[in-house]
Amino acid sequence: TKYAANTMLATKISFMNEIANICERVGADANMVRIGIGSDKRIGYSFIYPGAGYGGSCFPKDVKALKKIAEENGYKANLITSVENVNDAQKLVIANKIVKRFGEDLSGMTFGLWGLSFKPGTDDMREAPAIYTIKELLKRGAKVKAYDPKAIEEAQSFYLKGVENVTYYKSKYEVLKSSDALILLTEWKEFRSPDFVEIKKQLKSAIIFDGRNQYNAFNLEEQGFEYFQIGK
């Protein structure tokens, strides 16, 4: 029952992320689609926020476990497999947007990153999208300056231990100084209403890649930002 419950929630997340990817290609806005489908009481608003994929200990582990149980008993769980595949791809959605904007070779570029943990309120980085995003950017020659309220020690000592070209800072604005863009990956409360004037001042270019659609209501384009979000 626990495996089924967590896989159901993971399915809602992957479904909404798939809808967001379709929205981007047809010119729709996933934020509006979310509001529309969530108004149906049979669906509701829980777990239908477009983003950079789910992580943590429970969802990835329980999805894999349920799929394995099925396979061990002669059943191929196609839907559950697809939930996992969509999520694996979604963890690179922000990195792919960066590559589309700046090109395949990111040598000489630096990105300021907000959020290392898989969700706010914890230092847990298990299967966090930040791990995959950072490694993809580094592979392409970029450098990353990272800030998280709780997960910096976890990153340094385990999940990104020994990884070169990642530096950690104690202030969210410090990581933006001379960076080519801001990347938001965890929806910590302190990131919800930042000082956009300060962000613009610190960045080399006023560019934000928002992996949690935190700023879709701030009309950032009117403030002179290039703003990339999920599903629009």
Side-chain angles (χ1 to χ4, degrees):
T1 302
K2 176 181 180 292
Y3 290 165
N6 281 340
T7 300
M8 180 68 240
L9 298 177
T11 300
K12 290 184 74 174
I13 294 170
S14 282
F15 176 81
M16 195 64 224
N17 283 333
E18 187 128 277
I19 292 298
N21 293 332
I22 295 171
C23 284
E24 288 188 11
R25 287 157 176 79
V26 302
D29 183 348
N31 301 303
M32 301 305 294
V33 175
R34 177 187 64 78
I35 292 169
I37 66 173
S39 67
D40 187 327
K41 291 180 181 179
R42 297 170 298 174
I43 298 172
Y45 289 106
S46 297
F47 295 90
I48 60 166
Y49 288 81
Y54 61 77
S57 59
C58 292
F59 285 8
K61 173 179 63 65
D62 290 355
V63 169
K64 288 180 187 297
L66 189 54
K67 185 176 75 167
K68 186 178 180 183
I69 288 171
E71 291 169 351
E72 288 175 344
N73 288 275
Y75 181 76
K76 187 178 180 182
N78 291 318
L79 178 58
I80 296 172
T81 299
S82 294
V83 168
E84 189 175 49
N85 290 341
V86 168
N87 192 61
D88 288 344
Q90 198 69 15
K91 288 179 180 178
L92 290 175
V93 68
I94 289 295
N96 291 336
K97 288 177 183 293
I98 291 169
V99 169
K100 187 176 180 181
R101 170 61 178 80
F102 293 108
E104 298 281 343
D105 184 3
L106 300 175
S107 299
M109 302 198 73
T110 301
F111 295 94
L113 186 139
W114 287 0
L116 293 165
S117 59
F118 86 94
K119 69 176 183 179
T122 180
D123 65 354
D124 193 343
M125 284 186 65
R126 282 174 286 188
E127 293 297 320
I131 299 170
Y132 297 86
T133 302
I134 289 171
K135 289 184 175 180
E136 183 67 20
L137 297 179
L138 297 180
K139 185 175 77 175
R140 296 177 180 278
K143 294 181 179 180
V144 174
K145 298 158 76 173
Y147 169 75
D148 186 283
K150 288 188 176 182
I152 289 176
E153 187 177 333
E154 197 78 359
Q156 289 174 312
S157 61
F158 190 73
Y159 292 99
L160 294 169
K161 185 178 180 180
V163 175
E164 296 181 358
N165 293 323
V166 182
T167 51
Y168 304 92
Y169 293 79
K170 295 180 179 180
S171 161
K172 61 178 178 285
Y173 295 118
E174 222 180 335
V175 304
L176 304 182
K177 190 173 182 180
S178 299
S179 292
D180 292 281
L182 162 62
I183 302 168
L184 173 68
L185 289 178
T186 312
E187 61 274 39
W188 284 94
K189 193 172 183 179
E190 70 171 274
F191 299 155
R192 288 181 190 169
S193 299
D195 184 341
F196 290 108
V197 174
E198 184 65 21
I199 291 174
K200 200 171 184 181
K201 178 182 174 183
Q202 294 295 340
L203 290 172
K204 285 166 66 175
S205 303
I207 303 173
I208 296 176
F209 293 90
D210 184 351
R212 299 298 172 186
N213 289 4
Q214 288 287 280
Y215 307 137
N216 67 80
F218 283 88
N219 299 315
L220 291 185
E221 289 89 352
E222 294 178 10
Q223 298 183 48
F225 284 91
E226 278 187 65
Y227 179 52
F228 300 87
Q229 57 179 302
I230 310 294
K232 186 179 181 182

